[in-house]
Amino acid sequence: MERRICHSGGAEGADVYFAQYALQNQCDVVHYSYKTSFHSHSFKHELTAEEFNEGAAQLQKISNQLKRFHYKPYVNLLARNYFQIKKSKQVFAVGFLEKDESGSLCRVKGGTGWTIQMAINAEREIYVFDQKNEEWFKWNNQLKRFVVCELPKITTQHFAGIGTRKINLFGIQAIEALFENSFK
């Protein structure tokens, strides 16, 4: 198999830790970015206007699905997140799961939730480490919710490593354990 590639956004928090552990385990890293001088990693992929528009076109649908309608100030970030999912077969995230009206864990809080919804729509294999429950969950497409799972493994060449900027010690340890389980 060719070298594995971790697709991410390069944001503070989980994205940085995914990149760090990916590099330590001989994976390549691609950080998608809109046009900005604030993001200057050597593995930055700056979206073209065409790519940006492709990502932005997804946002209205996601907004309706999540019932989150105040997203215009975040279009740059959310449009770039689409490419993390488009290029990946597996998605690993660290964040906070939220319950819906029925009490099912079916959404992820914040910007990570938008990206996870994109992954659900694209029928990707999705794992979320919930920092509140300190457990890994896998998206079950039949049940339309997250279910507790064992420590996952990176098994595809292209995977996304994403998550909250508010990563805690348990989230960092979960990323480390994911890479150890996958590559040791």
Side-chain angles (χ1 to χ4, degrees):
M1 177 184 279
E2 294 180 42
R3 284 175 65 102
R4 288 192 165 94
I5 302 170
C6 178
H7 300 271
S8 193
E12 292 291 321
D15 291 11
V16 169
Y17 285 99
F18 273 109
Q20 174 186 324
Y21 285 105
L23 293 169
Q24 286 175 8
N25 287 278
Q26 287 72 51
C27 298
D28 292 327
V29 174
V30 178
H31 282 169
Y32 295 91
S33 179
Y34 54 92
K35 191 173 181 78
T36 177
S37 60
F38 296 111
H39 187 185
S40 59
H41 288 287
S42 60
F43 28 84
K44 173 183 172 180
H45 171 85
E46 193 169 283
L47 298 180
T48 65
E50 183 179 307
E51 288 172 326
F52 176 82
N53 290 334
E54 182 182 349
Q58 302 293 315
L59 300 181
Q60 185 60 50
K61 178 180 181 179
I62 305 297
S63 172
N64 291 334
Q65 289 175 308
L66 296 176
K67 297 179 180 26
R68 297 179 186 170
F69 303 106
H70 181 69
Y71 68 90
K72 299 278 192 242
Y74 310 104
V75 168
N76 287 344
L77 292 170
L78 297 172
R80 73 121 204 239
N81 290 359
Y82 170 73
F83 284 90
Q84 298 165 23
I85 300 310
K86 180 178 178 178
K87 304 286 185 174
S88 301
K89 300 297 179 210
Q90 287 181 300
V91 178
F92 301 93
V94 172
F96 300 93
L97 290 173
E98 296 179 316
K99 293 181 179 178
D100 66 5
E101 308 77 42
S102 71
S104 295
L105 292 171
C106 64
R107 285 185 289 229
V108 179
K109 188 175 181 178
T112 305
W114 286 74
T115 311
I116 293 298
Q117 187 61 51
M118 292 174 193
I120 290 169
N121 292 351
E123 299 181 355
R124 299 301 189 248
E125 187 178 334
I126 305 164
Y127 299 92
V128 175
F129 181 80
D130 181 45
Q131 293 191 128
K132 182 180 177 189
N133 293 306
E134 299 173 20
E135 290 185 279
W136 280 100
F137 290 79
K138 182 178 183 179
W139 176 254
N140 183 307
N141 209 32
Q142 276 80 26
L143 298 176
K144 304 291 185 217
R145 64 183 175 93
F146 288 95
V147 294
V148 174
C149 68
E150 293 183 10
L151 177 62
K153 222 177 213 181
I154 300 166
T155 60
T156 61
Q157 181 184 2
H158 293 272
F159 66 95
I162 62 171
T164 182
R165 292 172 189 261
K166 296 177 182 174
I167 194 165
N168 64 28
L169 180 61
F170 299 113
I172 296 167
Q173 290 172 341
I175 294 170
E176 181 180 22
L178 168 69
F179 280 91
E180 189 169 302
N181 190 41
S182 302
F183 298 106
K184 302 294 184 228

